């Protein structure tokens, strides 16, 4: 605003705090959600996440690798 500091979107002074903020928010959400889930809920609702990790992740990796190749 005053022209004292010149910042661009790719500068380290912008990127590093943005990455730290994103990491903090995502880690906090993951940690607090994990604290609220009980074993009974995990036992009853494991199929959909299990399918996403068991089938979807390898499929995504293969498609990405094929596209990159």
């Amino acid at each position: 605003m005053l022209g004292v500091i010149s910042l661009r979107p790719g500068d380290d002074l912008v990127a590093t705090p943005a990455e730290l903020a994103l990491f903090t928010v995502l880690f906090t959400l993951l940690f607090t959600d994990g604290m609220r889930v009980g074993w009974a809920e995990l036992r009853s609702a494991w199929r959909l996440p299990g399918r996403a990790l068991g089938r979807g992740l390898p499929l995504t990796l293969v498609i990405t690798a094929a596209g990159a190749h």
Side-chain angles (χ1 to χ4, degrees):
M1 182 169 97
L2 299 174
V4 177
I5 300 174
S6 175
L7 292 176
R8 293 186 196 109
D11 290 344
D12 285 339
L13 190 59
V14 175
T16 302
E19 289 172 1
L20 288 173
L22 180 63
F23 172 77
T24 303
V25 168
L26 291 177
F27 182 76
T28 303
L29 289 174
L30 178 67
F31 183 72
T32 56
D33 285 348
M35 292 287 293
R36 293 184 202 143
V37 176
W39 283 108
E41 294 166 335
L42 284 176
R43 283 189 202 115
S44 67
W46 66 271
R47 286 186 178 93
L48 184 59
R51 273 188 258 153
L53 287 173
R55 296 179 189 160
L57 180 63
L59 183 62
T60 301
L61 292 175
V62 167
I63 291 171
T64 303
H69 180 62

